[in-house]
Each structure stands twice: as structure tokens, then as C-alpha cells.
Amino acid sequence: MEMTSVKRALVTGGNRGIGYAIAQGLLAKDYEVIITARSLDSAKQAADKLQGSVIPIELDVTDDRSIRHAVEILYQRFDRLDVLINNAGILHPDNGVDILTISREKLDLTMDANMFGVIRLVQALLSFLEKSQDARIINLSSGMGALDGLTTTSPSYCLSKLALNGATTMLAQSLSSKGISVNSMCPGWVRTDMGGASAPRSPEQGADTAIWLATEASHRESGKFWRDRKAIAY
């Protein structure tokens, strides 16, 4: 087990897009970064491109066996986790459907990846986070999950992010006595595989608030929803 005073962060879906930009930003602040992807090869390829202390791990947040295996690897190698950034998520099940036509299967798929996986990963890593003096959890949500941002044309995505915001509030309340802050944030419309090429924001702009919450924001800030480093309404 590696004992170090350097702060350590885990970024799910850190192999591309906003997750990759978050990893870059944390490395620039001298954090040790664990990046996860559903494929170990994808995580390794991203780790090779990043400059700094990067550890690639295979993790599918929709699979409890994958979560358990990743956690076993972490416990074998490290003494604690300071930051957990739940970035992994999906949008594609909403292609071609709306709230009146989407199937239960597609709703389940998105909820599992975007919300249930977050809760399961927090549960699995809780004892690891408790060993940190400044533990922080940041959930990548969306303005489409705010009550005034819901649309009928992205039903599973909107509902999953709405539920994620609710889970953020509940986790913040449950973990306040343990000194662990929990926040969600909206990166805006970002040029990624999910956001598309016409999106106005770069991955680096989308990653900024997550990096700030992980490194600079007051630890007393918890249970809030953020965009551009400002608290916004759920």
C-alpha cells in the first residue's frame, strides 16, 4: 500500500472528454489521478497521453462486480482517496425517443449509468474517503436535470440527472457528520462525443468548476448545484 501526502483523486470516465480535461487540470495542481474507463486499454491509452502521476483502472459503474474489482485494486495499492469525481455517464438511449415513447429498458440503462452507479461507487469507496482529511465528492450533472431545465426530448437523461441532483443532496446530508462534502455541477454544453461538435464550450471550460470544487472551493460548501463556480437552483 502506497502512503503519500500527495492528494489523490479518482475520475470515472477519465479517458476522454470532460473527464480527461478534469484529470489534466488535477494533474496540473499536483494531484495523483486515477482515471477509469470501461476498458482497461482505453484507460491506459489516456494515461499514456497525460503528463504526471496517472493510474489507469478498468471500471464499469453499472456492474457491481466491476466496482468490487476496482475497489480491491485501490485498497491493495493506496491508503486513502481524497476526491471522487463521478463523471462517467451516457446520453445515447434518448436518440429518437421522447417521454411518450421511451422504453423501460432505456430508462433503466440511463438511470443505472448516470445515477445508481454513482451511489454504488460512493458506498464502495466510503471507508477509503473517510481516511482523507479533506474528502470531496463531485457529481457531473447537467442543467437538463434542473427543474427548470427538463425537456421531453431527452427523457432518460433529464430524469437521471434530476435524480442525481437529489442523490447529491441526500449524500451531502448523510456524509456531513463524516466531514465529506458532496456537490453536483453542470459543465454546460461541451464539445465532446456526447455534446457534439457544435457545442460552444471546450472540455477544459466544462471541467473548470469540477476542478475548482475538488481543489479550491471551501470544504463547507456541500449539497449544492454549481455552474461556472456559482451555486444555481436545483
Side-chain angles (χ1 to χ4, degrees):
M1 181 182 297
E2 183 180 342
M3 306 289 287
T4 177
S5 60
V6 174
K7 287 196 172 182
R8 182 178 299 117
L10 186 150
V11 183
T12 65
N15 59 304
R16 61 181 181 176
I18 297 172
Y20 185 89
I22 291 172
Q24 280 186 313
L26 292 174
L27 288 167
K29 293 180 178 292
D30 297 321
Y31 276 61
E32 183 177 63
V33 180
I34 302 159
I35 60 170
T36 79
R38 286 178 292 178
S39 159
L40 182 57
D41 285 342
S42 295
K44 286 181 176 178
Q45 288 172 13
D48 288 342
K49 294 178 184 178
L50 291 164
Q51 300 290 321
S53 179
V54 188
I55 300 93
I57 289 181
E58 180 177 331
L59 173 62
D60 180 349
V61 298
T62 68
D63 185 337
D64 280 353
R65 287 178 298 179
S66 178
I67 291 175
R68 286 194 296 269
H69 180 64
V71 171
E72 287 173 3
I73 293 173
L74 292 172
Y75 276 103
Q76 289 170 5
R77 295 187 58 177
F78 307 114
D79 62 318
R80 73 181 192 288
L81 184 66
D82 300 293
V83 178
L84 170 61
I85 300 182
N86 291 300
N87 165 74
I90 59 173
L91 172 63
H92 63 81
D94 285 339
N95 293 341
V97 298
D98 60 23
I99 192 63
L100 298 177
T101 59
I102 192 168
S103 66
R104 179 188 293 269
E105 180 183 15
K106 289 184 176 180
L107 286 167
D108 285 344
L109 182 64
T110 310
M111 281 287 190
D112 202 12
N114 292 0
M115 195 272 287
F116 296 144
V118 169
I119 294 174
R120 285 294 298 119
L121 194 56
V122 171
Q123 292 172 343
L125 290 172
L126 182 54
S127 61
F128 219 29
L129 289 160
E130 288 176 323
K131 296 177 182 178
S132 171
Q133 298 299 309
D134 184 24
R136 301 169 184 236
I137 299 170
I138 298 101
N139 299 325
L140 269 287
S141 185
S142 169
M144 293 172 69
L147 288 173
D148 65 356
L150 299 174
T151 73
T152 64
T153 54
S154 298
S156 70
Y157 184 77
C158 285
L159 289 171
S160 69
K161 295 302 186 180
L162 176 66
L164 178 61
N165 285 344
T168 298
T169 300
M170 295 170 71
L171 288 168
Q173 292 171 349
S174 298
L175 296 175
S176 62
S177 63
K178 298 179 182 294
I180 300 175
S181 68
V182 188
N183 289 283
S184 64
M185 56 81 64
C186 169
W189 186 14
V190 178
R191 290 188 298 276
T192 62
D193 290 345
M194 184 183 295
S198 60
R201 289 192 164 197
S202 68
E204 290 73 24
Q205 289 173 312
D208 177 72
T209 298
I211 297 167
W212 174 76
L213 285 169
T215 61
E216 299 177 38
S218 170
H219 192 267
R220 293 188 297 274
E221 300 285 10
S222 187
K224 296 182 179 180
F225 188 23
W226 300 83
R227 181 192 291 131
D228 294 333
R229 303 191 183 191
K230 296 179 181 179
I232 60 175
Y234 276 116

